[in-house]
Amino acid sequence: MYNEIKKLLHNHYMNEALEKLTEFASSTDNWQIKSEIENLRTTYGYMIQYAAQGVNDPDRKELYNQLFRNAFAINDRTELQHKLEANNTYLSRKYIANRNYPMHSYSEICMILEGIHDETGIASMLDGEERKTKMKDILKRHQTVIDELFNKIWLPTSWSNEEYQEAMAIADSPLIPDSDKALMASAVCLSMTYLLDPNKFRFLIHLYMNCPNPLISQRALVGLVLGMHINSDAMEYSYPNLFNELELLKDKPYFYSDLYTVILQIILSLDTEDIDKKMRDEIIPSIMKSSNMTEPIKDISDINLEDLTEFNPQWKDSIEKIKDQIKELDMLRQEGADTNMCTFSQLKKYPFFYEPSHWFYIFGENTPEIYEMQIDSQNSYASFIETLRNATDMCNSDKFSLCLTFKTMPSLPVDALSSGLSAQNQILKEQEGTDSAINRRRMESRHFIQDLYRFCKLWGTKNDRNDIFSGDIEVWDNEQILSLLKEDGKIKPLADYLFAKGHTYDTLLLYKDITIDDPTNVEAFQKMGYGHILNENYKMAIKPLETANILAPGDEWTLKNLALCYRKEGDNSKALEFLKEAEAVNPDSINICNQIGQIYIMHEKYDEALKYMFKVEYLTKGRTSAQRAIAWCYFMTGRNDEAISMYAKITEKADAKAEDWMNMGHVYTVKGDIPSGISFYKRAKEMTNGETSFYTMFSDDSDMLKSKGVQEDIIYMIPDMVS
């Protein structure tokens, strides 16, 4: 019914839409939604009544638009309400539990957290075991409160103005740590993947604008981007003025840079599944088969390429392949791709990860589980935890995974890993400049997107998950996001990045937009054409390619691809025209010469074709495909002895095909030497998959043999002679 109501609203069948909306909400327990719908119906009833009486109301249009927006928003809320009342997911159970036994208010949570801050200060002045005991108690109570705060925010319900102000008080409190505020940003982000709430949207704007710590600001920005994209209909129809509030963000000097970074990292997240599959299916099995790799691989960073030494020359190819694969993944990692998903996905089974909020904790000793390891006198975890906290190559949930693994398996060599991580951290710091402000923001947004990806893919049961990464996550298609990127001139870099990552079809509209703004941009027209070619839409590719050819005449790439499109469209004459132009630019191009020769063969201009195929044979030092074309041209022009000579060269090669022996048989048959022809036909039959294949091949050439003067009765009998 949800989609039916949307359709009615889009068609402005308002009365019917409101009737359906009443029916849709009737089976829910939400009295507020029902009341709002009834108010809409009453308001619309008066509007119709006054309009029918001819009353001139200057505010009627705006009132109608507001009513339309409210109806659209209530339809979204009603659809979500049905899901929340289904009691078949973690979130719906939390919703029902909160309705029956309400959680603390935001103002109460704020007071508790500020009180915990004061207690922590007092505890820090204690000594020895008393201090440790007190801190354990404080951290456990703190964890209980922030878990409740996370779940309360995550519930996809709309904040009242009072709740919004109370949440703002938490965000602005100097006594509440940034890690708690970052968790709030994460929860709001998750909440808005279900429902766009204007107050939560404004809350994220506030966090980005007023929290200098990238831990908070970058999570807020990711939430804004995902909220805008996933709720694009709601942004357009329910809250069209909400987009204007983003104007505040433009006051930040690094906003556009941060936004572009977030978009690129969401694009990179789309590669995670392929990287994960490559790790599982190719790299790890290859490494485990290598005789000198006796221990299971823990991480790409654990592999020293110099250690992959082959002891047997027969292993060389497989070892080199492993090296190449690891280097490829390392390049992806440096680009920002998530190469750790495979390694850590199996380490998310600990009870710590049962609680959804824990997937978004900031790694550190203020978490009870990590604090206990920090103060463990039997195991020297403290330096390892500090090293891990400074690691820039792992998202927070993966850091927790690694720590919990050492906690459950204390015999693992923690000192060795700590030393390796320290060295890697130093290398990354030197390579990437992770201390710089811009790189710190880039790192935090990347880590949050990776944590979010793991949560969407791994947490809870399948029913519990709202996997935004398996659906329509193409944020670059969102008009509002594109309008922001366009303001900073980021459309072309984005299009080029998508193009380089293989999303060629998705770049078509971007490049079209670029050509509208800059009708002389040759590269954009070329890439539009190429995108259509990859999608086998050759007719659509012709226009942008011809435009590129007008703007930059004589470009070999453009000319060759125009020829390709015209050939695919069946216009060989036009294709030949462009190939001739390309030949003038690069007369020794094997590809161009080969295509021209093939077109001449198709048009039975064999003498012209021979010139080009001889050139291809010369340039390729005897390529078999060129020799086949030459032999065929000889045959079709009656130069049978020369055809036989060329086919003899071909049939001596390892890549000779059944068709080559068949054609040799044809030449002898046309010459009247039936016995020799039969001997070659038999060789052709031996190379086919059976009699049917041979008969089909021979039958396809029967008209050609007739045209060459071979008697029909001979043609009919040859297959039997071959048997």
Side-chain angles (χ1 to χ4, degrees):
M1 189 175 290
Y2 169 74
N3 289 324
E4 182 183 356
I5 294 169
K6 280 180 67 173
K7 186 176 181 180
L8 289 170
L9 287 170
H10 281 308
N11 291 327
H12 292 282
Y13 298 150
M14 184 62 71
N15 202 45
E16 188 176 353
L18 292 176
E19 288 179 2
K20 288 286 184 182
L21 196 52
T22 302
E23 181 184 348
F24 191 31
S26 63
S27 58
T28 72
D29 293 334
N30 194 313
W31 62 267
Q32 186 175 0
I33 287 178
K34 295 176 184 178
S35 175
E36 290 177 22
I37 295 172
E38 189 58 37
N39 288 337
L40 290 183
R41 295 188 69 177
T42 301
T43 301
Y44 189 58
Y46 283 127
M47 285 180 65
I48 295 173
Q49 181 180 338
Y50 293 150
Q53 293 172 357
V55 176
N56 184 20
D57 185 354
D59 297 327
R60 182 187 299 139
K61 182 177 180 180
E62 177 53 36
L63 184 60
Y64 180 89
N65 289 338
Q66 184 61 51
L67 191 146
F68 172 86
R69 292 192 289 266
N70 289 343
F72 206 98
I74 292 174
N75 189 39
D76 285 343
R77 288 166 55 200
T78 306
E79 168 75 357
L80 182 59
Q81 187 68 28
H82 281 285
K83 294 177 181 178
L84 290 175
E85 292 180 4
N87 196 29
N88 60 353
T89 66
Y90 177 93
L91 199 59
S92 65
R93 290 190 292 273
K94 279 291 178 184
Y95 172 81
I96 293 170
N98 181 60
R99 190 173 56 185
N100 296 329
Y101 305 99
M103 290 183 261
H104 290 95
S105 68
Y106 291 113
S107 61
E108 290 172 331
I109 291 174
C110 184
M111 291 176 61
I112 296 171
L113 290 175
E114 289 178 340
I116 286 175
H117 172 270
D118 293 338
E119 287 186 60
T120 304
I122 295 171
S124 65
M125 294 184 288
L126 301 176
D127 295 323
E129 289 301 319
E130 185 181 4
R131 179 179 182 276
K132 293 178 183 178
T133 302
K134 186 66 175 176
M135 282 303 301
K136 283 182 182 180
D137 175 66
I138 291 173
L139 289 176
K140 285 180 180 178
R141 284 190 287 116
H142 174 257
Q143 185 175 60
T144 301
V145 176
I146 60 172
D147 288 348
E148 180 181 351
L149 175 63
F150 180 93
N151 284 323
K152 184 177 179 67
I153 295 173
W154 181 23
L155 289 178
T157 55
S158 298
W159 274 348
S160 66
N161 290 333
E162 182 182 0
E163 288 175 313
Y164 171 66
Q165 293 299 330
E166 291 177 355
M168 291 278 281
I170 299 176
D172 293 339
S173 173
L175 303 181
I176 296 176
D178 284 350
S179 56
D180 293 356
K181 297 171 185 177
L183 191 67
M184 290 181 75
S186 307
V188 174
C189 174
L190 275 185
S191 179
M192 288 209 301
T193 62
Y194 293 88
L195 179 73
L196 178 64
D197 172 26
N199 278 331
K200 288 181 180 177
F201 192 85
R202 294 183 185 106
F203 181 75
L204 291 180
I205 292 176
H206 178 82
L207 290 182
Y208 183 79
M209 288 295 297
N210 296 285
C211 296
N213 192 334
L215 276 176
I216 306 167
S217 64
Q218 298 312 299
R219 292 187 179 209
L221 185 57
V222 172
L224 287 169
V225 170
L226 292 177
M228 288 170 61
H229 178 64
I230 293 171
N231 302 288
S232 57
D233 279 354
M235 286 287 292
E236 181 177 358
Y237 300 113
S238 301
Y239 309 107
N241 297 324
L242 196 57
F243 180 75
N244 296 332
E245 298 189 29
L246 293 174
E247 289 291 325
L248 292 170
L249 303 183
K250 299 174 187 178
D251 293 335
K252 284 285 188 181
Y254 43 77
F255 163 66
Y256 288 110
S257 173
D258 287 350
L259 175 65
Y260 186 62
T261 296
V262 167
I263 301 300
L264 295 191
Q265 289 172 346
I266 291 174
I267 293 170
L268 277 171
S269 73
L270 301 178
D271 294 335
T272 304
E273 191 170 337
D274 290 337
I275 294 172
D276 187 46
K277 188 175 188 300
K278 189 179 186 72
M279 285 285 290
R280 292 179 189 281
D281 297 346
E282 298 179 31
I283 298 177
I284 291 179
S286 296
I287 292 172
M288 298 307 293
K289 288 178 183 177
S290 178
S291 64
N292 61 319
M293 295 291 290
T294 57
E295 294 297 324
I297 180 100
K298 299 294 190 303
D299 193 301
I300 294 173
S301 59
D302 294 340
I303 303 170
N304 185 340
L305 298 183
E306 299 304 319
D307 291 340
L308 296 175
T309 306
E310 61 279 14
F311 295 113
N312 186 326
Q314 297 177 355
W315 302 341
K316 183 175 181 180
D317 290 343
S318 61
I319 295 295
E320 289 300 321
K321 183 179 179 182
I322 294 171
K323 288 184 179 181
D324 290 342
Q325 289 170 331
I326 293 171
K327 287 176 181 176
E328 178 189 348
L329 288 176
D330 192 54
M331 289 176 65
L332 287 169
R333 180 198 60 74
Q334 291 181 40
E335 185 184 356
D338 187 355
T339 57
N340 290 333
M341 178 70 175
C342 175
T343 306
F344 288 99
S345 61
Q346 299 304 312
L347 302 180
K348 296 289 191 288
K349 311 291 186 184
Y350 299 111
F352 175 82
F353 291 110
Y354 294 170
E355 188 68 35
S357 58
H358 295 182
W359 293 72
F360 302 99
Y361 274 11
I362 305 301
F363 180 80
E365 60 275 8
N366 59 344
T367 305
E369 291 81 357
I370 305 304
Y371 181 75
E372 288 181 4
M373 294 180 68
Q374 178 90 13
I375 62 175
D376 187 345
S377 58
Q378 296 181 347
N379 295 285
S380 55
Y381 291 129
S383 61
F384 170 65
I385 290 171
E386 180 61 21
T387 301
L388 196 57
R389 191 178 65 81
N390 293 323
T392 61
D393 202 32
M394 277 187 278
C395 60
N396 286 280
S397 66
D398 286 354
K399 293 177 183 180
F400 279 109
S401 294
L402 198 55
C403 255
L404 293 170
T405 300
F406 276 94
K407 185 177 181 181
T408 55
M409 303 173 69
S411 60
L412 291 174
V414 64
D415 291 338
L417 183 57
S418 181
S419 176
L421 279 173
S422 295
Q424 183 176 333
N425 289 347
Q426 185 60 37
I427 292 171
L428 290 173
K429 185 180 292 187
E430 293 171 359
Q431 286 180 343
E432 304 173 5
T434 50
D435 284 343
S436 72
I438 188 169
N439 281 322
R440 175 74 193 285
R441 295 197 301 274
R442 183 182 295 122
M443 180 188 72
E444 293 299 346
S445 59
R446 181 176 77 244
H447 286 173
F448 177 54
I449 289 170
Q450 290 176 356
D451 283 329
L452 189 60
Y453 188 93
R454 283 152 177 66
F455 179 76
C456 289
K457 296 290 184 181
L458 302 173
W459 174 75
T461 66
K462 188 175 181 180
N463 282 342
D464 292 329
R465 297 171 195 153
N466 179 27
D467 187 0
I468 60 174
F469 293 96
S470 65
D472 178 18
I473 196 66
E474 290 85 358
V475 292
W476 55 85
D477 280 344
N478 185 285
E479 290 184 10
Q480 293 174 325
I481 292 173
L482 284 180
S483 69
L484 291 170
L485 293 173
K486 193 172 183 180
E487 290 176 10
D488 195 47
K490 287 291 195 296
I491 296 297
K492 181 153 192 319
L494 175 62
D496 289 343
Y497 186 80
L498 284 165
F499 189 88
K501 296 298 290 181
H503 300 282
T504 47
Y505 182 75
D506 295 314
T507 63
L508 291 175
L509 290 177
L510 294 179
Y511 282 124
K512 184 176 181 180
D513 191 48
I514 291 167
T515 59
I516 291 172
D517 291 339
D518 180 9
T520 63
N521 194 313
V522 176
E523 183 183 331
F525 282 111
Q526 287 177 325
K527 288 180 175 178
M528 281 176 65
Y530 187 67
H532 286 304
I533 288 172
L534 290 182
N535 287 283
E536 300 183 359
N537 195 341
Y538 303 103
K539 188 174 183 179
M540 288 291 291
I542 290 173
K543 185 175 180 180
L545 288 175
E546 288 189 332
T547 304
N549 192 43
I550 292 169
L551 293 170
D555 182 89
E556 182 185 348
W557 185 92
T558 305
L559 293 168
K560 286 196 297 185
N561 280 279
L562 274 168
L564 169 67
C565 292
Y566 276 111
R567 286 193 69 180
K568 291 291 186 178
E569 288 296 300
D571 190 343
N572 287 308
S573 297
K574 195 73 174 174
L576 186 60
E577 176 186 326
F578 285 110
L579 285 170
K580 285 286 191 177
E581 288 186 45
E583 183 192 14
V585 177
N586 186 0
D588 290 333
S589 168
I590 296 169
N591 178 275
I592 294 170
C593 290
N594 186 57
Q595 286 198 61
I596 293 175
Q598 293 293 339
I599 290 177
Y600 278 133
I601 290 172
M602 292 175 66
H603 286 270
E604 300 182 0
K605 295 181 179 180
Y606 300 111
D607 289 331
E608 291 293 325
L610 276 170
K611 298 175 186 176
Y612 286 94
M613 301 320 296
F614 272 127
K615 192 171 185 178
V616 172
E617 186 196 25
Y618 172 75
L619 292 171
T620 59
K621 299 179 180 179
R623 180 185 288 176
T624 306
S625 60
Q627 292 177 339
R628 284 192 183 103
I630 292 168
W632 184 256
C633 289
Y634 279 148
F635 179 39
M636 298 309 291
T637 54
R639 298 157 71 176
N640 294 328
D641 291 339
E642 290 165 290
I644 287 172
S645 176
M646 186 58 72
Y647 277 125
K649 290 182 181 180
I650 296 170
T651 52
E652 289 175 356
K653 294 185 175 184
D655 58 347
K657 299 179 180 179
E659 289 86 346
D660 300 321
W661 295 93
M662 175 77 76
N663 288 335
M664 181 77 104
H666 289 340
V667 180
Y668 276 106
T669 300
V670 169
K671 286 186 67 176
D673 186 351
I674 302 301
S676 295
I678 294 301
S679 67
F680 288 109
Y681 286 142
K682 287 183 176 180
R683 184 71 180 96
K685 182 180 177 182
E686 290 172 4
M687 296 185 69
T688 59
N689 295 326
E691 289 189 358
T692 303
S693 298
F694 173 80
Y695 291 149
T696 301
M697 286 170 57
F698 186 83
S699 177
D700 290 342
D701 291 344
S702 60
D703 287 341
M704 178 273 296
L705 292 173
K706 289 177 188 178
S707 71
K708 290 286 185 181
V710 180
Q711 296 176 3
E712 282 192 11
D713 55 338
I714 293 294
I715 295 173
Y716 296 151
M717 289 188 289
I718 282 176
D720 294 327
M721 296 181 202
V722 173
S723 298

